[in-house]
Amino acid sequence: MTDNYRGSGDADSTQQHPTQGFQGPAYPPPPSYGPAYSATPAPGPAATAAGPYPHGAHASGGTARRAKAPVALLAAVALAAAVVGGGSAALIGAYTGNGNGVGNGGTAVHGTTVSQSSTGTVAGVAQSVSPAIVEINAASNSGESTGSGVIITSDGEIVTNNHVVAGASSVKVQLSTGKTYTAKVVGTDPDKDLALIELEGASGLKTASLGDSGQVKVGDEVVAIGSPEGLTGTVTSGIISALNRDVTVAKDQDQGQQQQQGGNGGGNWPFEFGGQQFNGDTGSSKTTYKALQTDASLNPGNSGGALINMNGQIIGINSAMYAPSSSSSMGGSSAGSVGLGFAIPINTVKADLSALRSGGTG
């Protein structure tokens, strides 16, 4: 028999258990509550006794009724404690974090209801990482090119693409603050399309936190920051569309620069993907690397910039993007990003840093 819910317990105030067989002092007294079935109370003096619960028949029922107030009070106290605790957690998170979630030894804060300056939102990531992203202007005998870079040391070491600075006779770097430095090329690796440059006379710069591209999954949200078309500090967002894409780029700096600075590439470095050439002819000297694919908008000038996870960590260096008109032999400027971009995994960069600091392979 299932128990039925009784709102007040008063309906059973005079119910008695039917007895069978022997009845005497040893017979167990009836419980203080009636049976689960409903019965009509018999009239009698008990119903008109001075107390509403004669002979203690409803002692436990009364106790249960009186206990509701303390239970409600405890529930209210628990709720208040939860609210205060949540506020304390937010305050602790706000005052113990480093305010940006990235940088040297920085720890990202997850799942807290704090301001947008924290990690976990596009606005938060942009605010934290943008100071570590720069615009690079390189001049060579072929002309000038614009790209982006990522500051990795406070004294001005910057990672970028080889094709951004290939063959450059002079390199100028503009920080997010607008301050400009002259830079020198420390080392290049055309096989991986990577380069390391260093600012002259810089110190105390904001640095980026390098993540682990081996932990990246398809569908992860990402943010891209760079200087497309010279628009410094442009922020776009998207997801990781695929992993380990084979991307082939030109190694010959003259071939690449010619396409990038006014050839059929419309300002993009030529590359191959899926057996097709984009942004012009990659030439005979080329290299293939494994890349992250993203639908975050990348445009000319994003090369060398950062692809960032939602913890504010760099997971890739943006290197190539597909613009529809650039695959045409008609020439002219590209139509812009169509959500097909590629980035060199940051683990590839970290493995190559020592060689780049020693001059690289290019």
Side-chain angles (χ1 to χ4, degrees):
M1 180 180 297
T2 59
D3 293 332
N4 294 321
Y5 173 77
R6 295 190 303 276
S8 65
D10 294 343
D12 307 328
S13 61
T14 59
Q15 290 175 0
Q16 300 294 330
H17 280 273
T19 59
Q20 297 178 0
F22 172 75
Q23 301 181 26
Y27 187 76
S32 59
Y33 54 86
Y37 60 83
S38 176
T40 303
T48 58
Y53 310 117
H55 308 298
H58 275 262
S60 68
T63 302
R65 174 177 293 177
R66 289 192 299 273
K68 289 178 182 177
V71 170
L73 178 59
L74 287 173
V77 171
L79 178 60
V83 172
V84 173
S88 300
L91 287 173
I92 292 171
Y95 284 98
T96 58
N98 62 8
N100 53 49
V102 295
N104 294 336
T107 302
V109 180
H110 303 275
T112 55
T113 52
V114 293
S115 69
Q116 288 185 333
S117 63
S118 69
T119 58
T121 65
V122 173
V125 170
Q127 183 173 351
S128 296
V129 185
S130 288
I133 310 303
V134 302
E135 178 181 313
I136 300 174
N137 293 281
S140 70
N141 294 332
S142 302
E144 296 185 353
S145 62
T146 300
S148 305
V150 179
I151 302 174
I152 60 171
T153 64
S154 60
D155 59 354
E157 281 190 339
I158 296 172
V159 172
T160 186
N161 288 139
N162 171 65
H163 72 255
V164 172
V165 296
S169 55
S170 68
V171 178
K172 298 291 185 181
V173 174
Q174 180 177 315
L175 305 185
S176 63
T177 59
K179 187 173 183 178
T180 301
Y181 288 87
T182 297
K184 63 178 181 179
V185 178
V186 176
T188 61
D189 187 346
D191 288 333
K192 298 182 178 69
D193 195 18
L194 291 173
L196 184 70
I197 65 175
E198 186 174 12
L199 304 183
E200 296 179 357
S203 63
L205 300 180
K206 167 74 177 182
T207 62
S209 175
L210 305 185
D212 181 2
S213 54
Q215 300 299 313
V216 174
K217 298 179 179 61
V218 173
D220 284 352
E221 293 180 276
V222 290
V223 175
I225 304 179
S227 300
E229 307 291 355
L231 299 173
T232 305
T234 297
V235 177
T236 59
S237 64
I239 63 169
I240 293 294
S241 304
L243 307 175
N244 299 317
R245 293 297 200 195
D246 287 328
V247 175
T248 300
V249 298
K251 290 175 60 176
D252 189 312
Q253 59 190 24
D254 291 332
Q255 178 72 25
Q257 294 284 5
Q258 179 184 356
Q259 300 294 339
Q260 187 184 28
Q261 298 164 349
N264 293 337
N268 287 304
W269 191 261
F271 73 98
E272 296 178 16
F273 173 71
Q276 299 183 57
Q277 289 189 343
F278 303 101
N279 307 338
D281 185 8
T282 55
S284 58
S285 179
K286 46 195 173 185
T287 185
T288 300
Y289 57 82
K290 298 290 185 181
L292 304 173
Q293 180 183 330
T294 180
D295 69 350
S297 179
L298 301 179
N299 290 287
N302 270 117
S303 291
L307 190 66
I308 312 157
N309 66 19
M310 302 310 289
N311 294 328
Q313 300 169 323
I314 312 300
I315 58 170
I317 300 297
N318 299 320
S319 57
M321 53 80 64
Y322 167 55
S325 65
S326 65
S327 62
S328 168
S329 60
M330 299 287 292
S333 62
S334 66
S337 173
V338 292
L340 186 60
F342 302 93
I344 302 167
I346 200 63
N347 287 2
T348 300
V349 178
K350 291 191 289 187
D352 206 31
L353 271 180
S354 179
L356 289 172
R357 285 171 172 145
S358 299
T361 61

